[in-house]
Amino acid sequence: MVSIEQVLRDHQIRPTAIRLLMYRFLKDSQVALSLNDIESGFDQSERTTLYRTIKTFERKGLVHQVDDGTGVAKYALDKPANGKQSTQDLHLHFHCTNCNETTCLTEHKIPHISLPTGFIPEDMNLLIKGVCDKCSGQ
Amino acid sequence: MVSIEQVLRDHQIRPTAIRLLMYRFLKDSQVALSLNDIESGFDQSERTTLYRTIKTFERKGLVHQVDDGTGVAKYALDKPANGKQSTQDLHLHFHCTNCNETTCLTEHKIPHISLPTGFIPEDMNLLIKGVCDKCSGQ
DNA sequence: TAAAAACATGCAATCTGAGTGCATTATTGA
DNA sequence: TCAATAATGCACTCAGATTGCATGTTTTTA
């Protein structure tokens, strides 16, 4: 078990108070969070700082941005890669049109897609919209 | 060969001058267009009108919105369905990170994905980012 | 360890795209 | 032809994203 402080240091991020708090906040969330969501979880601290913090996390590879089609950027913690290679860039996200929550389905890999000649893929994103398990009651 | 006017009428859209122009503009484009792109193609006419026009087209099933992860909505003409059922919502989009153009790869269908229990899919969007054929030079 | 350099934070402000309200103009159909 | 209905244009509003700058804090280095 590595401390959050160490995780940040490992990513060349200075472990300030806000950063530690935000990391924990993201870690405790089962769903991707928008800047507004994050802001709501912090009485103290300022929108801009939270924004820059999340962007720092993103730049340093701690979180990835989730685009769920709502037009609002959300963020989720990267799961530490099990193998050598990060698999973060092959995501499947589920956006519930009922509760508006967006979940990373990291276990579900996107199957290989063959593209026309000349198209060089670098990143993939599969977004599925529908009703999530909590809302479907199943 | 059906006239554009007829296409619009068939979708319960009054064929005004702007609408005919915009339809042709979309038809002539190989890539999805943002409102800004469209605006640039029209010296005359007003942003709001173009916006409402594209939204009308969307509502009536003439175009579909493409979300390429840039945060800017783009639109592309629906290809006329060959079969009875429209398959517009299950093709993939390719966004070139070099030229910023987004292409509908209508021939490429999204493979079936099995979801965890309780997740009910209703719509899917597969976005692949990378370098397009024009930019890769291949 | 003090001073300089580098980075983090807070506040105010800007920018962009999306979307609406309303008055005017055009089109349609009784 | 006239009333009803829809389309257009202009002026806004709104939200989220992003930046500039002044200040505070940490790190580095002489």
Side-chain angles (χ1 to χ4, degrees):
Chain A
M1 182 54 200
V2 189
S3 70
I4 293 181
E5 195 166 329
Q6 195 52 50
V7 172
L8 294 189
R9 284 196 202 287
D10 289 349
H11 286 82
Q12 288 87 48
I13 300 171
R14 286 187 190 170
T16 66
I18 288 177
R19 288 169 175 181
L20 292 169
L21 285 171
M22 187 183 294
Y23 188 94
R24 188 165 306 132
F25 193 67
L26 290 164
K27 195 158 181 273
D28 290 346
S29 175
Q30 299 305 305
V31 297
L33 299 173
S34 70
L35 191 59
N36 269 336
D37 296 334
I38 295 171
E39 209 180 355
S40 308
F42 290 75
D43 331 305
Q44 77 276 51
S45 196
E46 218 265 331
R47 190 184 181 75
T48 315
T49 303
L50 298 174
Y51 172 76
R52 283 199 254 238
T53 300
I54 199 85
K55 282 299 176 187
T56 298
F57 282 9
E58 190 187 14
R59 211 161 355 94
K60 300 291 190 178
L62 263 185
V63 308
H64 61 277
Q65 186 169 337
V66 179
D67 182 352
D68 66 4
T70 60
V72 179
K74 294 184 177 176
Y75 302 88
L77 222 55
D78 279 8
K79 294 279 184 305
N82 298 325
K84 302 123 217 281
Q85 201 57 36
S86 169
T87 52
Q88 290 304 138
D89 45 338
L90 295 171
H91 280 295
L92 201 163
H93 294 122
F94 189 93
H95 173 68
C96 179
T97 51
N98 185 244
C99 67
N100 196 34
E101 287 192 343
T102 302
T103 316
C104 298
L105 300 177
T106 42
E107 302 312 313
H108 290 66
K109 298 307 174 204
I110 300 175
H112 177 73
I113 308 270
S114 63
L115 295 173
T117 314
F119 286 83
I120 302 165
E122 283 165 1
D123 189 16
M124 300 189 134
N125 231 312
L126 177 55
L127 174 67
I128 303 183
K129 297 180 199 176
V131 185
C132 73
D133 53 345
K134 276 181 288 182
C135 290
S136 74
Q138 283 182 219
Chain B
M1 182 58 198
V2 190
S3 70
I4 294 180
E5 194 166 328
Q6 195 52 51
V7 173
L8 295 189
R9 284 196 202 285
D10 289 348
H11 286 82
Q12 288 85 49
I13 300 171
R14 286 190 189 169
T16 66
I18 288 176
R19 288 168 176 181
L20 291 168
L21 285 171
M22 187 183 295
Y23 188 93
R24 188 164 308 132
F25 194 67
L26 290 165
K27 194 157 181 274
D28 289 346
S29 175
Q30 299 305 305
V31 297
L33 299 173
S34 70
L35 191 58
N36 269 335
D37 296 334
I38 295 171
E39 208 180 354
S40 308
F42 290 75
D43 332 304
Q44 76 279 49
S45 197
E46 219 264 332
R47 190 183 181 74
T48 317
T49 303
L50 298 174
Y51 172 75
R52 284 199 254 237
T53 300
I54 199 87
K55 283 299 176 187
T56 299
F57 282 7
E58 190 186 15
R59 211 161 355 93
K60 301 291 190 178
L62 263 185
V63 308
H64 61 278
Q65 186 169 337
V66 179
D67 183 351
D68 65 3
T70 60
V72 178
K74 294 184 177 176
Y75 303 88
L77 221 56
D78 281 8
K79 293 280 186 303
N82 296 326
K84 303 121 217 286
Q85 201 58 36
S86 169
T87 53
Q88 289 305 138
D89 43 340
L90 294 170
H91 63 262
L92 63 91
H93 295 121
F94 188 94
H95 174 68
C96 178
T97 51
N98 184 245
C99 67
N100 196 35
E101 288 193 341
T102 302
T103 315
C104 297
L105 299 178
T106 41
E107 301 312 313
H108 290 67
K109 300 306 175 199
I110 299 177
H112 177 75
I113 307 274
S114 62
L115 295 173
T117 314
F119 287 83
I120 303 166
E122 283 166 359
D123 189 17
M124 308 187 130
N125 187 14
L126 176 53
L127 175 68
I128 303 183
K129 296 180 201 178
V131 184
C132 74
D133 54 345
K134 275 181 290 180
C135 291
S136 74
Q138 282 182 220

